[in-house]
Amino acid sequence: MELAEFNQLRITTLWAAFAVAAAFGFIAQRTHFCTMGAVSDIVNMGDWTRMRMWGMAVGVAAIGFHALGWLGLIDTTQSIYTGARVVWLSALTGGALFGFGMVLASGCGSKTLVRIGGGSLKSLVVFFVMGLAAFMTLRGVFAVWRNATVDQVFFELPQGSAVPAWVAGATGLDAGLAGLICALVLGGALVLWALLGRDFRTGNNLLAGLGIGAVVVAMWWVSGHLGFVPEHPETLDPVFLGSNTGRMDALTFTAPMAYVQDWLIFYSDASKVLTFGVVTVAGVVLGALACALIEGSFRWEGFASTQDTALHIVGAICMGVGGVTALGCTVGQGLSGLSTLSLTSAIAVAGIMVGAVLGFRLQIWLLERG
């Protein structure tokens, strides 16, 4: 591949990632897809409808991801979620911190971007505070503390942290086939569970479950197939174009908020180029904006009180620190990570759910107090 072709493919890949992220934003705005909202509905009303949306999305994403692997379109081992090292304490504590923060901030990272597109100025504040906290956890003072504490607690799984690798090792099956079988069983069970919900089978709910799951699969294809070059024209090394991690990327939103701020601040620095993280953040906001304008639901929104402001800022800090520590958010670990059937992702999601419940308990206490 010539260098000019390489650069053109990079641009094409980033445009494709932007389009997929815009679809995510549009669907999330249209269907009110929200992990925090799903937990809130269960805790406050006993309603599992939005959690079934989330479960179907995970199931569809898992089946699609491993179908791509079985077809040879992507290498399912080339993501940050399936490595041999299981940083379980980072995933658990980071996840809990993120889950707690998303309740205080009225939504996770993806919901924050969707709400910005819908006209929420307080979500814009959450975005900047969360991005700053994420940057501090990636490279700043919180990164030093993170590396010296929770990241030191881990165990190694030689075959990798994904369930299909264990099945392939135990049965001797081809890795691609093992992945597809596991995804059909586990992901199919989630899809079936969602469809069995009495009130779930509506157009909006199916759009959320099937649409969001398909978007995650599409992003894996864009990064792992369209954007994969076996030999860089200059270094001759394999490269994933536009990747922030150096590996195959999918949708995630905590670290990308930091990348956006870094790109904006150092825009004149030629070394600061557009990446998956930057274009997907922009795509989600613009996709949600388009949907809000079409529906007529766009509304400017500000903080209701000083307490409301303080809670959102604290929540944003918790999400920024927790999301980076856990290697992902409710989308990064909860959808993209779980689609790989990774043990680390399952631990992170468990932490997020525990943190969210604690966050709701705090909110209830504050309401009763006054």
Side-chain angles (χ1 to χ4, degrees), residues 38-119:
V39 179
S40 174
D41 289 351
I42 295 170
V43 172
N44 296 320
M45 299 181 291
D47 183 359
W48 286 76
T49 301
R50 280 204 281 183
M51 186 56 74
R52 291 179 190 275
M53 285 185 188
W54 192 83
M56 174 175 277
V58 172
V60 170
I63 293 169
F65 174 79
H66 287 285
L68 291 176
W70 178 64
L71 292 170
L73 297 176
I74 64 172
D75 181 350
T76 58
T77 65
Q78 294 299 309
S79 78
I80 64 171
Y81 307 111
T82 55
R85 178 174 294 186
V86 179
V87 285
W88 64 271
L89 187 58
S90 295
L92 189 61
T93 56
L97 193 59
F98 184 92
F100 183 79
M102 76 175 183
V103 173
L104 301 188
S106 301
C108 63
S110 62
K111 188 63 175 181
T112 295
L113 298 177
V114 169
R115 293 180 73 217
I116 290 173

Side-chain angles (χ1 to χ4, degrees), residues 152-365:
Q152 296 300 313
V153 182
F154 60 87
F155 58 87
E156 300 272 356
L157 293 173
Q159 293 178 317
S161 60
V163 172
W166 312 342
V167 173
T171 62
L173 286 173
D174 171 76
L177 180 59
L180 183 61
I181 291 173
C182 290
L184 288 171
V185 172
L186 299 175
L190 283 172
V191 172
L192 179 61
W193 170 72
L195 291 173
L196 288 175
R198 179 178 300 175
D199 301 320
F200 178 78
R201 295 184 297 275
T202 67
N204 216 44
N205 294 338
L206 292 173
L207 174 62
L210 296 173
I212 295 294
V215 163
V216 173
V217 177
M219 191 62 79
W220 281 124
W221 180 86
V222 169
S223 178
H225 183 75
L226 178 64
F228 176 66
V229 177
E231 288 188 359
H232 189 287
E234 294 178 331
T235 66
L236 302 183
D237 293 325
V239 60
F240 291 97
L241 299 176
S243 172
N244 290 107
T245 64
R247 288 183 268 184
M248 181 170 57
D249 283 339
L251 285 172
T252 188
F253 296 111
T254 304
M257 290 188 182
Y259 301 144
V260 168
Q261 296 185 38
D262 181 51
W263 182 76
L264 291 173
I265 293 169
F266 295 102
Y267 177 77
S268 60
D269 185 341
S271 67
K272 299 297 181 181
V273 296
L274 284 174
T275 62
F276 258 68
V278 177
V279 300
T280 53
V281 166
V284 171
V285 173
L286 293 178
L289 172 62
C291 182
L293 292 175
I294 292 170
E295 291 182 331
S297 60
F298 183 90
R299 299 288 185 277
W300 294 114
E301 179 189 21
F303 291 108
S305 65
T306 302
Q307 179 179 332
D308 188 35
T309 307
L311 288 175
H312 278 77
I313 290 174
V314 171
I317 293 171
C318 290
M319 283 199 293
V321 176
V324 171
T325 301
L327 298 179
C329 55
T330 52
V331 172
Q333 287 284 29
L335 292 176
S336 299
L338 282 183
S339 73
T340 70
L341 303 181
S342 163
L343 173 62
T344 305
S345 297
I347 295 171
V349 170
I352 289 171
M353 296 303 174
V354 170
V357 171
L358 293 175
F360 285 121
R361 297 302 181 200
L362 174 62
Q363 283 193 330
I364 292 170
W365 179 78

Side-chain angles (χ1 to χ4, degrees), residues 27-35 37 50 53 111 204 295:
I27 295 170
Q29 172 71 20
R30 177 69 180 82
T31 64
H32 305 292
F33 182 88
C34 176
T35 308
R50 280 204 281 183
M53 285 185 188
K111 188 63 175 181
N204 216 44
E295 291 182 331

